[in-house]
Each structure stands twice: as structure tokens, then as C-alpha cells.
Amino acid sequence: MGNNNENQSEKQEKLVAESHSRMLEREKESKVVKKIVLSIISVLLVLVVILGFVGYRYVSTSLEPLDPKSEKKISVEVPIGSTSKEIAKILEDKNIIKSALVFNYYVKTNNAADFLAGFYQLSPSMTLDELITELQKGGSTDPSKTILIKEGYTLDQIADSIAKSTKFKADEVMALVQNQAFLDQMHKKYPKLLDSAMSAENVKYRLEGYLFPAVYDFSAKMTLDEIIEKMISKTNEVLYPFYGTINAQGKTVQQVMTVASLLEKEGVSYEDRTKIASVFYNRIAEDMPLQTDISVLYALGEHKEFISIKETEVESPYNLYVNKGFGPGPFNSPSLEAIKAALNPVDSSYLFFLADTDTGKVYFADTYEEHLELKEKYIDSKLEK
């Protein structure tokens, strides 16, 4: 009997111990589960915060102009019957806005409506409100196109570009830019810009260098006179802030544009161009010819990489191997950067420069001896290999 009670007591104690052990296990599991749940909730909360922030940033930036500094105008066609959602997609595809979704909701939130079909000239710098206003005004029924004038283009190349984009032929362009009545009319409208060009001697084309490199919008209704004047007007607009500086430096617009046109072709970086400008002005001061290949190529009327010694002797007022000074006038249409470099040469005693054709790096020298050493090191040694 006593043994039975003892066995029963042992069993009960064992059961209690097992029950207690299971309770401890469950409590342990519960704590682990809670930790896991809390970890998951924490991760989800972080993700929600991150997604919220990303979403907020996306919407905020989408409400701002895509590129506030852009001066580009993009042709956009809004077909008849287009919904605001379809127009938003067109604007996004044309890189006018960042998000079609945000634009569409913005339009609905502001109860904007009555968008009209047509052809528009829109810019990534425009705000959503400005775009809405334009779309409510209505576009043109005449699709505008563009003419691309690249930096460093000559008048002949510009004429070809105009011919590719318009109904006008290249020879019509060249005839107009040489028409005295048209030249007189432009001179009267833009005297500060064209005074020195019109009085220059031995000039091939009076307007060489004065059709600014840019992308121009035009419509089928525009005349050739209007297209060319638009390019002249752009040059005047670009140069307007520099007229005082040009006068203060004792230069003419023709001289500055001539040097800038050489810098456009001779240098790539602004820093190199300011140093090359210094070389040119130093050589002028020393009564030395500029000896630039760009002038020879223009005199020859050719576009190629190398010129021969014989070609440097070509008879032309534009040949600056033979003739001293700046030459009659510009050799192409220079960029704003080249114009700035022409007005801001570094203070140096450089008289020579050459470019490593492999690396594009430009080397400068004060003396002819130094120049020959650089030529041997970076030009001749490579030709010998």
C-alpha cells in the first residue's frame, strides 16, 4: 500500500514537471513568435515609411518642371478628341513632363478641362499650370518643324541644313545671304551686330558667323527672309551682353567673331580655348601670322583633317599662314563658349600650341624651340612608328 502511494506520488510529480516543462516551452515559443511578429511589423513599417517617402518625392518632383533650365522647344501634336489621360501620355513620351499619372490627377484635382487639339511648341522647363494654360489656348493647325544649326557650321553647311528641313533650296539660301538689299535691311535692324561686318574688306560672305548655332522652330508659312533673320536675331541676342566688353577691349564684333570661329575648331574645352585665344592675341601683338589650318581649309573651301605644305600657300585673304592679322572675317558660326573664350584669354606669353591627335590634349609653348620639342614628342614620334 505504501509503495502504491509512493508510485502514484512520483507519477503526479512527473506529470506536474512535464506540464510545467510544456508551459515553459510554449512561453518560449510565444516569445519567439512575438519577436518574429514584431520584427515583421517593424520591417513593414519601415517599408511603408520608405515607400511613402519615395512616393512623396516622386509626386513632388513630378509636380515640378522636368528641366527648369531647359531652353529647348519640342513640337507636340494633340490629336482631335484626345482625353486628358491621352494628352498626359503624349507629354510624358515627348519628355515634357515626368509623370503622365501625376499630370492627369493634377488636371482632375484642379478641374482643368477644355484642352484643344493642334500643334504646340512646349518646353520641359514649363510648369504644369503653364502647360495647362497652353493646352487650353489651342495649338496651331500648321505643324512647326525645326532646323538644326550645329556649332562650327559654315554658311554653306547652314544652307544645306535649311534645305534639308524646309522647302527652300541651298542655292536660294546662299543667294539671299549675299543679296545687298537684304544685307542692308539686316544692317539697319542690327547695327551693333553688323556694323563691322558690313565695313570689312575682302569678305567672302558678310553673314558668315552671324547665323547662331541652335535649334530653330519654323512653320510652313515662314519666308526664307524670316528664317535667316531669326538666326541673325539670335546672334544679336547672344552678343548683346558683350557689346560693352568688346568696345572696352578696343575690338570689333567682326574681330571677336573671327577669333571665336577659330577657337570653335581649334579647341574643345573652354580652358584650352582661352589659352589658344591668348596665343592668337600674343602673335598679333608680335606681328606674327596666326598660322591656323582652319583658315587654309576655309580658303580652299574644303573640309578635311590634314593639309599639305603646298596648300598653306593658297592665295586667299583668308589664308592666315600667308597673311597677318585676324583675316577678313569669321570662318564659321561659333558657339557662345567660343565667343566667351575670345573675350577672356588667359594672361600668358604663349606663342605656339599643338594638339595630340590621340588624346586631344593641347600643349602650349613660349618659344619655337619648345614648340619643336613638343611636336617631336607628341606628333612626329607617333608618325614614325
Side-chain angles (χ1 to χ4, degrees):
M1 191 76 181
N3 286 336
N4 285 336
N5 288 335
E6 285 177 8
N7 288 337
Q8 205 140 14
S9 177
E10 286 177 2
K11 285 181 181 178
Q12 287 177 349
E13 287 177 2
K14 191 175 181 180
L15 288 170
V16 170
E18 287 177 353
S19 176
H20 182 67
S21 177
R22 282 196 297 271
M23 284 178 65
L24 290 174
E25 279 293 324
R26 282 197 294 271
E27 285 179 7
K28 187 177 180 181
E29 287 176 1
S30 179
K31 286 180 180 178
V32 171
V33 169
K34 284 180 179 178
K35 284 183 180 179
I36 292 171
V37 170
L38 286 172
S39 297
I40 292 171
I41 291 172
S42 298
V43 170
L44 289 173
L45 285 172
V46 171
L47 287 174
V48 168
V49 171
I50 292 172
L51 289 173
F53 177 74
V54 171
Y56 175 78
R57 285 288 301 159
Y58 180 78
V59 172
S60 297
T61 55
S62 297
L63 290 171
E64 298 170 355
L66 182 64
D67 184 0
K69 296 181 180 180
S70 176
E71 296 180 0
K72 182 165 54 175
K73 290 287 187 179
I74 300 172
S75 293
V76 177
E77 179 185 4
V78 175
I80 295 173
S82 296
T83 64
S84 60
K85 186 176 182 180
E86 290 169 337
I87 293 172
K89 186 67 171 64
I90 292 170
L91 296 180
E92 182 182 78
D93 291 343
K94 286 283 190 176
N95 292 317
I96 303 294
I97 59 173
K98 181 177 181 178
S99 170
L101 180 65
V102 173
F103 180 83
N104 191 41
Y105 275 111
Y106 186 81
V107 166
K108 289 180 178 178
T109 303
N110 288 274
N111 295 317
D114 301 322
F115 291 161
L116 301 174
F119 295 92
Y120 295 85
Q121 295 297 309
L122 305 175
S123 172
S125 63
M126 296 173 74
T127 65
L128 299 193
D129 288 329
E130 288 172 337
L131 289 169
I132 289 170
T133 300
E134 283 298 310
L135 292 166
Q136 288 174 332
K137 286 180 182 177
S140 168
T141 56
D142 182 21
S144 291
K145 297 182 180 179
T146 59
I147 303 169
L148 171 62
I149 306 301
K150 291 185 179 180
E151 296 167 344
Y153 263 18
T154 62
L155 261 179
D156 292 316
Q157 291 172 309
I158 292 173
D160 289 336
S161 289
I162 293 173
K164 285 178 184 176
S165 301
T166 72
K167 63 185 178 182
F168 303 107
K169 296 178 181 178
D171 58 0
E172 291 179 295
V173 177
M174 295 308 297
L176 179 62
V177 297
Q178 296 176 82
N179 181 280
Q180 193 57 52
F182 179 72
L183 291 174
D184 291 341
Q185 183 184 4
M186 293 300 100
H187 184 199
K188 186 175 181 180
K189 278 192 174 184
Y190 309 99
K192 286 186 178 180
L193 178 70
L194 296 175
D195 270 350
S196 55
M198 294 305 163
S199 62
E201 297 180 358
N202 300 316
V203 175
K204 186 177 182 181
Y205 303 122
R206 297 284 176 192
L207 292 180
E208 185 75 84
Y210 292 92
L211 306 188
F212 196 77
V215 177
Y216 294 92
D217 297 318
F218 75 96
S219 69
K221 294 179 181 178
M222 288 182 72
T223 65
L224 183 56
D225 292 41
E226 289 172 331
I227 291 173
I228 300 299
E229 183 177 353
K230 193 172 186 179
M231 297 176 182
I232 296 170
S233 177
K234 179 64 176 178
T235 308
N236 185 61
E237 177 188 326
V238 168
L239 278 177
Y240 196 83
F242 304 110
Y243 286 138
T245 303
I246 293 171
N247 289 332
Q249 291 184 2
K251 298 182 178 74
T252 65
V253 172
Q254 185 82 337
Q255 288 172 340
V256 171
M257 295 301 280
T258 300
V259 173
S261 69
L262 293 173
L263 299 178
E264 185 64 48
K265 294 290 188 177
E266 293 282 15
V268 176
S269 71
Y270 178 74
E271 182 182 1
D272 281 344
R273 284 171 172 169
T274 59
K275 290 179 181 178
I276 296 170
S278 178
V279 171
F280 288 153
Y281 293 131
N282 289 341
R283 291 179 75 93
I284 292 291
E286 293 291 329
D287 197 32
M288 298 169 65
L290 297 189
Q291 293 186 322
T292 165
D293 292 356
I294 306 305
S295 68
V296 175
L297 292 171
Y298 189 83
L300 294 170
E302 296 182 31
H303 304 285
K304 57 183 182 178
E305 193 170 350
F306 300 105
I307 61 171
S308 66
I309 293 175
K310 185 177 181 180
E311 286 173 328
T312 63
E313 299 170 355
V314 62
E315 289 188 18
S316 167
Y318 282 91
N319 182 359
L320 300 185
Y321 267 85
V322 175
N323 302 293
K324 295 178 182 179
F326 295 106
F331 300 88
N332 56 64
S333 289
S335 62
L336 174 58
E337 186 180 89
I339 293 169
K340 286 181 177 179
L343 290 169
N344 296 281
V346 298
D347 185 9
S348 81
S349 54
Y350 298 141
L351 289 172
F352 303 90
F353 72 93
L354 59 82
D356 185 327
T357 53
D358 290 338
T359 64
K361 186 172 175 59
V362 184
Y363 298 92
F364 299 86
D366 292 344
T367 67
Y368 187 57
E369 289 72 22
E370 290 175 25
H371 176 67
L372 289 178
E373 288 175 11
L374 292 170
K375 184 173 179 291
E376 170 60 31
K377 184 175 180 180
Y378 296 106
I379 306 295
D380 298 341
S381 60
K382 294 180 180 180
L383 296 175
E384 292 168 2
K385 291 180 181 179

